C-alpha cells in the first residue's frame, strides 16, 4: 500500500486498488452470497465484506431472518472473505470504503434499492468505483422464505445414480439437462468455481459424488495437502447452512489441524433428508446445500449424496478413492443415531458447540412461521422493489 503527501503536508494512505469492498445483508449463508464474494475476490488480493445491521435491513427491506452476529459468523466463515465489517451502511458510502482503503466495490448485475426506491450504489457508480459481476441466478433469501411459507418440494433434486454419473463422465450431457439432475454441465461448472482456493482462482477443495449404487467418484480434484493423509469425516444434511453448522466445522477444523488431517464433509441427498425430516425438508436442495458447505474455509472436500448409514465399506471406499485413511468421524452435540453409526462407533467423537448450540433448521423455520405476517409483507415489498429496480435497470441500460 502506498502513501502520499496532501497540500497541508500531512501523510495519507492511498486507496488500495487490490483491496475490494462488497456489502450486503447476507441473510442465510446461501450460495448466491458466496458466489458474489467469490467473484469479488477475483478482482483483488483482499476482500472486505460490509454487513448491514438489523435495523437498516428492517427499514429498507423487511425483517432479516438471522441477526447481525449470526450473519457475521457466516461471512467470516467464507473462504474468500479477508475481513468482515459489521454495521456497514445500507446505501454504500464511499467514505466507509475509504476508511478501509478499498478503492472499488463489487455488486451483481442487478440494481439494489433502498426504502425509497433509490439505487444504493448511485454515488459510487458516479465516482467510477463500481465493478459489476454476474448475479447468481435462482437463489435468494426471499426464495427460501417463500419455500418455508408455502411448504413446497418442487426444488428437490434426484439422487445421483450410476446412469447419471456415466452420462456426465462419458460426455453424454444431453440427457442431463433436466433441472432435477445434479450433474448438469452448468452445475459441475459451479462446483469447479466454488471449489477454488482463497484467491478464488487456483485449486482448492475436492468434490466427490456417491451414487445410489454405492460407488464413489471424484468430480472435482482438490489441492493436495502436504503431509495430510488422514481424514476426519463429518456428515449431515446441512440444510439452511447456519452459524451452528459453521462453528461446528470451525471446531472440527481446529482439531483436524492438530491431528494433521483433512476435513471431508458428506451431504445426504434430498430423498434421504425428506425421509428423516418429513414435510418439505430440505428447504435447500442438495445442489444448494453442497455449494454452501463447499465455500466454507473450514473444509477440504465434500461428498455429494453421502449415505445416512456410515459403514466400514463406505469408509474403505473413501480411503481407496482419496488414498487417505479415515481416523475419526465427528458428530454434533445430539446423541448418535445407532442405525447411522453402529458399524463404526469406535471412530466417532462428539464436538459440542456452545455458541448457537440451539440453532437448527427447525428453529430457523420457526422464526419465519412465528413472524409470518411480517415476512409475508417482506415478500410483497420485494415485489414492489423488484418493479422499481427493473425500471432503474432499463434507464441505466438506455443511458
Amino acid at each position: 500500500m502506498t502513501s502520499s503527501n496532501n497540500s497541508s503536508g500531512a501523510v495519507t494512505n492511498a486507496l488500495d486498488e487490490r483491496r475490494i469492498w462488497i456489502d450486503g445483508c447476507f441473510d442465510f449463508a446461501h450460495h448466491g452470497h458466496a458466489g458474489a464474494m467469490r467473484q469479488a475476490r477475483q478482482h483483488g488480493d483482499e476482500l472486505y465484506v460490509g454487513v448491514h445491521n438489523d435495523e437498516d435491513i428492517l427499514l429498507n427491506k423487511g425483517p432479516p431472518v438471522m441477526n447481525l452476529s449470526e450473519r457475521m459468523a457466516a461471512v467470516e466463515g467464507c473462504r474468500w472473505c479477508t475481513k468482515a465489517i459489521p454495521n456497514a451502511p445500507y446505501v454504500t458510502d464511499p467514505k466507509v470504503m475509504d476508511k478501509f482503503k478499498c478503492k472499488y466495490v463489487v455488486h451483481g448485475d442487478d440494481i439494489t434499492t433502498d426504502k425509497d426506491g433509490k439505487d444504493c450504489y448511485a454515488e459510487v457508480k458516479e465516482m467510477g468505483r463500481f465493478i459489476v459481476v454476474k448475479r447468481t441466478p435462482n437463489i435468494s433469501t426471499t426464495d427460501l422464505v417463500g419455500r418455508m411459507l408455502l411448504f413446497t418440494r418442487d426444488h428437490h433434486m434426484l439422487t445421483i445414480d450410476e446412469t447419471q454419473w456415466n452420462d456426465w463422465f462419458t460426455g453424454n450431457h444431453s440427457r442431463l439437462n433436466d433441472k432435477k439432475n445434479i450433474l448438469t454441465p452448468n452445475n459441475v461448472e459451479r462446483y469447479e468455481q466454488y471449489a477454488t482456493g482463497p484467491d478464488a482462482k487456483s485449486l482448492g477443495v475436492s468434490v466427490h459424488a456417491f451414487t445410489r449404487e454405492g460407488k464413489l467418484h471424484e468430480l472435482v480434484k482438490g489441492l493436495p495437502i502436504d503431509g495430510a493423509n488422514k481424514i476426519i469425516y463429518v456428515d449431515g444434511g446441512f440444510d439452511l447452512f447456519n452459524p451452528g453448522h459453521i462453528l461446528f466445522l470451525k471446531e472440527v477444523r481446529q482439531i483436524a489441524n492438530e491431528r494433521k488431517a483433512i476435513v471431508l464433509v458428506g451431504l445426504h441427498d434430498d430423498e434421504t433428508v425428506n425421509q428423516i425430516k418429513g414435510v418439505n425438508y430440505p428447504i435447500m436442495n442438495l445442489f444448494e446445500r453442497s455449494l454452501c458447505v463447499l465455500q466454507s474455509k473450514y473444509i477440504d472436500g465434500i461428498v455429494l449424496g453421502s449415505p445416512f448409514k456410515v459403514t466400514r465399506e463406505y469408509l474403505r471406499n473413501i480411503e481407496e478413492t482419496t488414498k487417505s485413511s479415515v481416523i475419526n468421524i465427528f458428530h454434533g452435540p445430539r446423541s448418535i443415531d445407532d442405525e447411522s453409526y453402529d458399524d463404526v462407533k469406535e471412530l466417532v467423537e462428539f464436538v459440542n458447540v456452545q455458541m448457537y448450540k440451539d440453532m437448527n433448521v427447525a428453529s430457523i423455520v420457526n422464526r419465519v412461521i412465528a413472524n409470518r405476517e411480517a415476512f409475508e409483507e417482506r415478500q410483497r415489498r420485494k415485489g414492489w422493489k423488484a418493479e422499481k429496480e427493473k425500471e432503474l435497470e432499463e434507464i441505466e441500460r438506455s443511458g
Side-chain angles (χ1 to χ4, degrees):
M1 190 177 297
T2 60
S3 299
S4 60
N5 291 321
N6 60 23
S7 57
S8 64
V11 177
T12 59
N13 289 325
L15 299 179
D16 188 344
E17 294 196 3
R18 300 299 296 170
R19 180 178 288 181
I20 304 299
W21 177 268
I22 189 172
D23 54 26
C25 305
F26 301 102
D27 200 9
F28 288 137
H30 67 61
H31 69 276
H33 297 147
M37 286 189 272
R38 179 188 64 81
Q39 293 182 82
R41 179 64 177 79
Q42 291 177 326
H43 286 275
D45 300 323
E46 295 179 290
L47 179 63
Y48 278 49
V49 184
V51 185
H52 308 322
N53 62 42
D54 301 344
E55 294 75 20
D56 282 352
I57 297 173
L58 178 62
L59 179 65
N60 289 278
K61 190 174 185 178
V65 180
M66 314 296 286
N67 65 42
L68 178 59
S69 65
E70 294 164 350
R71 292 182 286 111
M72 284 289 292
V75 170
E76 289 167 346
C78 178
R79 189 161 55 252
W80 306 300
C81 172
T82 303
K83 186 176 180 63
I85 312 297
N87 300 304
Y90 197 88
V91 175
T92 302
D93 187 344
K95 293 189 291 295
V96 174
M97 293 168 57
D98 293 348
K99 176 182 177 181
F100 294 100
K101 307 296 183 283
C102 301
K103 184 168 183 178
Y104 297 107
V105 59
V106 168
H107 190 263
D109 53 4
D110 57 327
I111 287 182
T112 297
T113 56
D114 64 10
K115 61 182 176 59
D116 299 317
K118 297 178 180 178
D119 186 350
C120 292
Y121 295 91
E123 186 174 0
V124 287
K125 286 178 179 178
E126 291 175 3
M127 298 173 70
R129 297 175 64 178
F130 187 77
I131 297 174
V132 179
V133 297
K134 186 174 179 58
R135 182 183 183 276
T136 303
N138 304 322
I139 189 67
S140 70
T141 300
T142 304
D143 295 333
L144 297 174
V145 169
R147 293 178 191 176
M148 295 180 213
L149 294 176
L150 299 175
F151 296 99
T152 58
R153 287 192 292 181
D154 295 340
H155 57 285
H156 290 179
M157 305 187 81
L158 298 171
T159 298
I160 302 171
D161 58 21
E162 283 298 302
T163 298
Q164 190 178 148
W165 170 260
N166 289 330
D167 284 343
W168 164 255
F169 188 74
T170 60
N172 187 15
H173 297 169
S174 60
R175 295 197 301 186
L176 294 172
N177 288 326
D178 185 335
K179 67 178 182 179
K180 294 290 187 181
N181 287 327
I182 296 284
L183 301 183
T184 67
N186 286 339
N187 288 355
V188 175
E189 181 182 11
R190 196 79 62 82
Y191 281 129
E192 292 170 345
Q193 293 169 345
Y194 281 61
T196 52
D199 63 357
K201 297 177 183 178
S202 59
L203 279 179
V205 302
S206 63
V207 180
H208 295 82
F210 187 73
T211 66
R212 187 185 292 275
E213 292 81 0
K215 295 184 178 180
L216 187 67
H217 304 280
E218 184 179 67
L219 184 64
V220 179
K221 189 174 185 61
L223 180 69
I225 300 174
D226 292 339
N229 60 354
K230 295 178 287 187
I231 292 173
I232 289 179
Y233 180 74
V234 176
D235 67 351
F238 293 95
D239 195 11
L240 295 180
F241 194 59
N242 62 64
H245 298 135
I246 293 164
L247 293 192
F248 168 68
L249 291 176
K250 183 177 182 180
E251 292 201 24
V252 173
R253 169 84 275 160
Q254 292 169 345
I255 297 169
N257 289 344
E258 294 169 0
R259 300 180 185 180
K260 294 182 171 54
I262 63 176
V263 178
L264 183 65
V265 181
L267 291 112
H268 307 320
D269 59 48
D270 296 341
E271 180 182 334
T272 298
V273 175
N274 188 252
Q275 286 175 350
I276 298 166
K277 300 280 189 179
V279 197
N280 65 328
Y281 291 110
I283 304 299
M284 288 179 168
N285 61 44
L286 177 58
F287 178 64
E288 296 163 345
R289 291 182 284 118
S290 58
L291 289 181
C292 289
V293 176
L294 192 56
Q295 57 82 42
S296 170
K297 65 175 59 172
Y298 308 125
I299 67 142
D300 301 295
I302 65 172
V303 178
L304 304 173
S306 64
F308 182 69
K309 183 177 177 61
V310 180
T311 64
R312 293 175 183 272
E313 182 181 358
Y314 172 64
L315 296 185
R316 280 195 296 270
N317 205 341
I318 289 175
E319 292 176 340
E320 291 172 2
T321 303
T322 62
K323 304 296 187 279
S324 302
S325 58
V326 178
I327 61 169
N328 291 111
I329 299 171
F330 275 84
H331 200 280
R334 68 179 176 83
S335 62
I336 297 177
D337 187 309
D338 289 344
E339 182 184 356
S340 302
Y341 298 100
D342 191 53
D343 198 27
V344 291
K345 275 192 173 179
E346 72 279 4
L347 294 177
V348 180
E349 294 185 28
F350 287 96
V351 171
N352 290 302
V353 178
Q354 295 305 311
M355 192 175 182
Y356 307 122
K357 64 180 180 179
D358 296 322
M359 179 172 287
N360 52 46
V361 181
S363 68
I364 295 172
V365 172
N366 285 339
R367 290 185 187 185
V368 175
I369 301 302
N371 296 281
R372 186 183 187 99
E373 185 174 335
F375 282 108
E376 286 178 339
E377 175 60 24
R378 171 179 166 153
Q379 303 297 83
R380 287 190 289 270
R381 288 178 63 181
K382 177 65 177 177
W384 172 82
K385 289 186 67 176
E387 288 299 317
K388 186 64 180 177
E389 288 161 4
K390 186 176 180 180
E391 289 176 17
L392 292 174
E393 287 173 11
E394 290 295 332
I395 293 171
E396 195 169 269
R397 278 195 293 267
S398 61

